[in-house]
Amino acid sequence: MTRMRWTRSLRFRLLAATLVALALALLLAGWALAGLFRQHVMRQFETSLTQQLDQLTARLEFDATGQPLIDPQGLSDPRWQKPYSGLYWQIDQISADGQARSSVLRSRSLWDTRLELHPDDLADGALHAHEGTGPQGSAVLMLERTVRPDEQPEVRWRLVVAANTQDSLLAVARFNGVLAMSLLVLGLLLVLAALAQVAVGLSPLRNLQRALARVREGQAARLQGQFPAEVQPLIDDFNGVLERNAEVVARARTQAGNLAHAIKTPLAVLGQAATQSLQTSLGDPALARLVQEQVATARRHIDWHLARSRAAAAQNLPGLRTPLAPVAAGLARVMQRVYAARALQIDVTGVPEALAFAGEEQDLQEMLGNLLDNACKWARTTVRVSAKVNEDELCVEVEDDGPGLDEAARDAVLARGVRMDEAVPGSGLGLAIVNELAQLYGGRLQLCSSSLDGLRATLTLPKTA
């Protein structure tokens, strides 16, 4: 689950960074394109207006009194003659102090209005463009020029043409709308491309995740598969750690086994000597029996500590996988022979073949063997073993039809050395070993009433595929 959250977090970060970059790029591109188009439209608009001003300047004449004349028929655009058409011209005389008088001439399109001009002091022939307000409050772009007639060089005339900018601004707005839709479609396509890129880019991590899952579930002892060159060093290092860990565990097991063998040999000699003493009636029989009992107890303690150290070394070790059904069947055959005189029925058909324990086979035999042995000691006729998977855990149940235990005694029997009935042989370590081994593997042992009217021991262990 941690690896999956990490993968999702990395995917989210990559997508978020990519989408933010795409959004900024599209916004900047849209802003730049919209500005360029508006600049182009207004430049074209101004160029067209300059041509109109040039035409007006070319048609400007003066009568004998020095007053300007414009022949309307000489202007080609019919909008000059239509009131409030959106295209206007106006001629003002500039006084000696630089102030313009009221308009001397103006186009018919202005009707009974005039253009309000800025008090500019322009050089002769220079162009000046500025925005203003035209008839009926419309926004216009004004282009003006100052000229001096050859006949009256002391008199300056201000020629102004203006045009409504509404159509140009509408064209810019329509372009911006089309541009926004185009960028939106492009953004969606880029998002899909980013998703595909992230999916392809993270596919090696998903392969790594599956390889780790196979190691965790005991299907493989090392990471296997084809990985990119950028990921392969990580795979090699991780496999090296797994191999070194396996070597350390193997050495620890060997040392524990050697120590147990070294101790068991003197104990076997003591036990054999005590047996011979009882058989030959030499020495004190009570002492011989005491030696036999203590040797047996010492062997049980050695087995317990050996199993505990083995389980601690194998805890969370990857690659461990022990099928449950063969172990249960083998232990059932052993118990049938041990308790052959009582003709017990030991049923292990409730253990599916596909279930496996994520740990050592010896530890599974130790735990399940103690539970079966305890059930066979107390059972009247039947012992039943079943197993199932509960979420990510393997649940093994061992039931018997014996007298069972009351709730007060169930916790007590899990303590080391506690025996509920001294008449039944044993050292009181069996259930304690099972409980501690299960806890070392992250599991637990629970005792409750059985459907067979006896005791049911539920052993919860980590599972593997």
Short mmCIF file of all heavy atoms in Angstrom, two decimals, residues 5 13 35 48 52 95 97 131 145 174 176 208 224 250 274 304 329 355 382 392 394 442 453 458:
data_model
loop_
_atom_site.label_atom_id
_atom_site.label_comp_id
_atom_site.label_asym_id
_atom_site.label_seq_id
_atom_site.Cartn_x
_atom_site.Cartn_y
_atom_site.Cartn_z
N ARG A 5 0.77 4.22 -2.77
CA ARG A 5 0.55 5.63 -2.47
C ARG A 5 1.68 6.48 -3.01
O ARG A 5 1.47 7.57 -3.53
CB ARG A 5 0.40 5.82 -0.95
CG ARG A 5 -0.93 5.35 -0.41
CD ARG A 5 -1.14 5.91 0.98
NE ARG A 5 -0.13 5.45 1.91
CZ ARG A 5 -0.25 4.37 2.67
NH1 ARG A 5 -1.34 3.64 2.60
NH2 ARG A 5 0.71 4.02 3.50
N ARG A 13 2.27 14.38 -8.88
CA ARG A 13 3.21 15.49 -8.98
C ARG A 13 3.64 15.72 -10.41
O ARG A 13 3.74 16.87 -10.87
CB ARG A 13 4.43 15.19 -8.10
CG ARG A 13 4.12 15.20 -6.60
CD ARG A 13 5.33 14.81 -5.80
NE ARG A 13 5.02 14.76 -4.37
CZ ARG A 13 5.89 14.42 -3.43
NH1 ARG A 13 7.12 14.09 -3.78
NH2 ARG A 13 5.54 14.39 -2.17
N GLY A 35 -2.69 39.72 -28.47
CA GLY A 35 -2.08 41.05 -28.59
C GLY A 35 -1.56 41.32 -29.99
O GLY A 35 -1.73 42.43 -30.52
N SER A 48 -5.48 52.17 -43.23
CA SER A 48 -6.64 52.55 -44.05
C SER A 48 -7.06 53.99 -43.77
O SER A 48 -7.40 54.75 -44.69
CB SER A 48 -7.80 51.60 -43.77
OG SER A 48 -8.98 52.01 -44.43
N GLN A 52 -7.25 57.48 -46.18
CA GLN A 52 -8.37 58.41 -46.25
C GLN A 52 -7.90 59.84 -46.00
O GLN A 52 -8.36 60.80 -46.69
CB GLN A 52 -9.44 58.04 -45.21
CG GLN A 52 -10.07 56.68 -45.41
CD GLN A 52 -11.04 56.64 -46.58
OE1 GLN A 52 -11.22 57.64 -47.30
NE2 GLN A 52 -11.66 55.48 -46.81
N SER A 95 -5.35 79.05 -35.07
CA SER A 95 -5.01 80.47 -34.93
C SER A 95 -3.53 80.62 -34.62
O SER A 95 -2.80 79.63 -34.43
CB SER A 95 -5.86 81.10 -33.81
OG SER A 95 -5.58 80.46 -32.58
N ASP A 97 -2.18 81.65 -31.99
CA ASP A 97 -1.80 81.16 -30.65
C ASP A 97 -1.86 79.65 -30.54
O ASP A 97 -1.71 79.08 -29.46
CB ASP A 97 -2.69 81.80 -29.58
CG ASP A 97 -4.17 81.51 -29.83
OD1 ASP A 97 -4.49 80.81 -30.83
OD2 ASP A 97 -5.01 81.95 -29.02
N GLU A 131 -7.17 58.12 -29.77
CA GLU A 131 -8.54 57.66 -29.62
C GLU A 131 -9.40 58.78 -29.05
O GLU A 131 -8.91 59.62 -28.26
CB GLU A 131 -8.60 56.43 -28.71
CG GLU A 131 -7.88 55.22 -29.30
CD GLU A 131 -7.93 54.02 -28.37
OE1 GLU A 131 -8.45 54.17 -27.25
OE2 GLU A 131 -7.45 52.94 -28.77
N ARG A 145 -3.54 65.82 -39.31
CA ARG A 145 -2.34 66.36 -39.94
C ARG A 145 -2.52 67.87 -40.07
O ARG A 145 -3.63 68.35 -40.34
CB ARG A 145 -2.14 65.71 -41.31
CG ARG A 145 -1.00 66.32 -42.12
CD ARG A 145 -0.99 65.74 -43.51
NE ARG A 145 -0.57 64.33 -43.51
CZ ARG A 145 -0.95 63.46 -44.43
NH1 ARG A 145 -1.79 63.82 -45.39
NH2 ARG A 145 -0.52 62.21 -44.39
N ARG A 174 -14.02 38.44 -31.86
CA ARG A 174 -14.32 37.15 -32.48
C ARG A 174 -13.06 36.30 -32.61
O ARG A 174 -13.08 35.08 -32.36
CB ARG A 174 -14.97 37.37 -33.85
CG ARG A 174 -16.40 37.84 -33.78
CD ARG A 174 -17.08 37.72 -35.15
NE ARG A 174 -16.44 38.59 -36.13
CZ ARG A 174 -16.82 39.84 -36.37
NH1 ARG A 174 -17.82 40.38 -35.68
NH2 ARG A 174 -16.21 40.56 -37.30
N ASN A 176 -10.46 36.45 -30.67
CA ASN A 176 -10.10 35.99 -29.32
C ASN A 176 -10.96 34.80 -28.90
O ASN A 176 -10.48 33.87 -28.23
CB ASN A 176 -10.24 37.12 -28.31
CG ASN A 176 -9.18 38.20 -28.49
OD1 ASN A 176 -8.14 37.94 -29.11
ND2 ASN A 176 -9.44 39.39 -27.99
N LEU A 208 8.26 -2.54 -11.48
CA LEU A 208 9.02 -2.71 -10.23
C LEU A 208 8.09 -3.04 -9.08
O LEU A 208 8.40 -3.89 -8.23
CB LEU A 208 9.81 -1.43 -9.94
CG LEU A 208 10.59 -1.39 -8.62
CD1 LEU A 208 11.59 -2.53 -8.56
CD2 LEU A 208 11.29 -0.04 -8.47
N GLN A 224 12.91 -9.58 -10.50
CA GLN A 224 13.14 -10.12 -11.83
C GLN A 224 12.28 -9.36 -12.83
O GLN A 224 11.17 -8.93 -12.53
CB GLN A 224 12.79 -11.62 -11.88
CG GLN A 224 13.64 -12.47 -10.95
CD GLN A 224 13.18 -13.91 -10.92
OE1 GLN A 224 12.09 -14.23 -11.38
NE2 GLN A 224 14.01 -14.77 -10.36
N ALA A 250 20.89 -17.14 6.74
CA ALA A 250 21.38 -18.52 6.63
C ALA A 250 22.47 -18.80 7.66
O ALA A 250 22.50 -19.86 8.29
CB ALA A 250 21.88 -18.78 5.22
N ALA A 274 19.86 -42.48 31.76
CA ALA A 274 18.74 -42.63 32.70
C ALA A 274 17.86 -43.81 32.30
O ALA A 274 17.39 -44.58 33.16
CB ALA A 274 17.92 -41.34 32.73
N TRP A 304 11.96 -24.86 21.57
CA TRP A 304 11.20 -23.60 21.60
C TRP A 304 12.09 -22.41 21.26
O TRP A 304 11.76 -21.57 20.41
CB TRP A 304 10.57 -23.43 22.98
CG TRP A 304 9.90 -22.09 23.16
CD1 TRP A 304 8.83 -21.62 22.48
CD2 TRP A 304 10.30 -21.07 24.07
NE1 TRP A 304 8.51 -20.35 22.91
CE2 TRP A 304 9.40 -20.00 23.89
CE3 TRP A 304 11.30 -20.97 25.03
CZ2 TRP A 304 9.49 -18.83 24.63
CZ3 TRP A 304 11.39 -19.81 25.77
CH2 TRP A 304 10.50 -18.75 25.56
N ALA A 329 -1.42 -32.18 5.94
CA ALA A 329 -1.62 -33.61 5.67
C ALA A 329 -0.52 -34.45 6.31
O ALA A 329 -0.78 -35.52 6.89
CB ALA A 329 -1.66 -33.84 4.16
N LEU A 355 -3.55 -22.30 -0.66
CA LEU A 355 -3.11 -21.43 0.42
C LEU A 355 -1.66 -21.72 0.79
O LEU A 355 -1.22 -22.87 0.78
CB LEU A 355 -4.01 -21.58 1.64
CG LEU A 355 -5.49 -21.19 1.45
CD1 LEU A 355 -6.22 -21.27 2.77
CD2 LEU A 355 -5.58 -19.79 0.87
N THR A 382 -12.82 -36.72 17.29
CA THR A 382 -12.64 -35.97 16.04
C THR A 382 -11.77 -34.74 16.26
O THR A 382 -11.92 -34.01 17.26
CB THR A 382 -14.00 -35.51 15.48
OG1 THR A 382 -14.85 -36.66 15.32
CG2 THR A 382 -13.83 -34.79 14.14
N ASP A 392 -5.81 -9.92 4.07
CA ASP A 392 -4.42 -10.25 3.76
C ASP A 392 -3.84 -11.25 4.76
O ASP A 392 -2.62 -11.38 4.86
CB ASP A 392 -3.56 -8.98 3.76
CG ASP A 392 -3.91 -8.06 2.59
OD1 ASP A 392 -4.38 -8.59 1.58
OD2 ASP A 392 -3.70 -6.85 2.70
N LEU A 394 -3.86 -15.23 6.69
CA LEU A 394 -4.17 -16.65 6.57
C LEU A 394 -4.67 -17.14 7.93
O LEU A 394 -3.97 -17.02 8.93
CB LEU A 394 -2.92 -17.44 6.15
CG LEU A 394 -3.03 -18.95 6.09
CD1 LEU A 394 -4.02 -19.37 5.00
CD2 LEU A 394 -1.67 -19.58 5.84
N GLY A 442 3.93 -11.57 13.14
CA GLY A 442 2.90 -10.56 13.02
C GLY A 442 1.49 -11.13 13.09
O GLY A 442 0.54 -10.45 12.70
N ASP A 453 -18.17 -28.68 20.04
CA ASP A 453 -18.36 -28.65 21.50
C ASP A 453 -17.05 -28.75 22.27
O ASP A 453 -17.07 -28.96 23.49
CB ASP A 453 -19.31 -29.77 21.96
CG ASP A 453 -20.70 -29.61 21.38
OD1 ASP A 453 -21.09 -28.45 21.15
OD2 ASP A 453 -21.38 -30.62 21.15
N THR A 458 -7.59 -20.68 16.71
CA THR A 458 -7.50 -19.96 15.45
C THR A 458 -6.13 -19.31 15.35
O THR A 458 -5.79 -18.43 16.15
CB THR A 458 -8.60 -18.88 15.36
OG1 THR A 458 -9.89 -19.50 15.48
CG2 THR A 458 -8.53 -18.16 14.02
#
